[in-house]
Amino acid sequence: MGLDDVQVSYMTLEDIDDVMIVEKLSFTIPWSKNALIEEVLNNRMAIYITAKIKGKAIGYAGMWKIFDEGHITNIAVHPEYRENGVGSRLVEKLVSIAKEQGIVKMTLEVRKSNAAAQSLYFKYGFREQGCRKGYYSDNGEDAIIMWKENV
């Protein structure tokens, strides 16, 4: 697989089944299918994108636009496609969309133990700005709060 084979586009309802596979393989407490459908269809603040190969979603990312801020809700890549630049393509696209929509800063929470994700976010200008103690309900792990200024 080369990155040229990966197409990044806005998520549609047709992508949900593939996205649910990625979601379940990526998170100990995955979002429900109904929650994702609700985000795509009815949440006017939500922006969701997918990374696809040959029409099959292998990764996705979501962001809520709240006034002039973007809050990244999820970024996940199917385990078979990790460490190939797919996560980078998703972050790049979210930042590009943020610029287009007048978002001036972006934020996210990431597990304290997830060094790979933190490294990805640092690469795109996110910086650690705080901690949410016991944020993750599955194991009580802390979340690092990261911000990107001047999108």
Side-chain angles (χ1 to χ4, degrees), residues 50-89:
T50 57
K52 296 181 190 177
I53 294 180
K54 297 180 182 171
K56 179 180 172 81
I58 58 155
Y60 81 100
M63 174 174 65
W64 293 337
K65 180 182 179 188
I66 305 168
F67 300 108
D68 63 351
E69 294 180 4
H71 182 97
I72 295 176
T73 56
N74 316 61
I75 295 180
V77 176
H78 191 290
E80 292 177 13
Y81 296 94
R82 291 181 186 157
E83 299 182 17
N84 286 302
V86 176
S88 290
R89 291 281 302 276

Side-chain angles (χ1 to χ4, degrees), residues 7-79:
Q7 303 299 316
V8 179
S9 58
Y10 285 97
M11 187 184 295
T12 67
L13 282 181
E14 291 75 33
D15 299 322
I16 297 289
D17 287 337
D18 290 342
V19 167
M20 284 307 303
I21 292 168
V22 174
E23 178 76 6
K24 289 176 181 174
L25 291 171
S26 299
F27 301 109
T28 56
I29 302 177
W31 283 26
S32 70
K33 183 175 183 177
N34 284 342
L36 279 169
I37 290 170
E38 201 53 36
E39 288 290 283
V40 172
L41 285 182
N42 298 320
N43 185 347
R44 294 179 11 183
M45 296 184 308
I47 300 163
Y48 280 82
I49 58 174
T50 57
K52 296 181 190 177
I53 294 180
K54 297 180 182 171
K56 179 180 172 81
I58 58 155
Y60 81 100
M63 174 174 65
W64 293 337
K65 180 182 179 188
I66 305 168
F67 300 108
D68 63 351
E69 294 180 4
H71 182 97
I72 295 176
T73 56
N74 316 61
I75 295 180
V77 176
H78 191 290

Side-chain angles (χ1 to χ4, degrees), residues 9 109 117 124 138-139 142:
S9 58
E109 291 91 9
Y124 289 96
D138 61 337
N139 65 359
D142 295 347

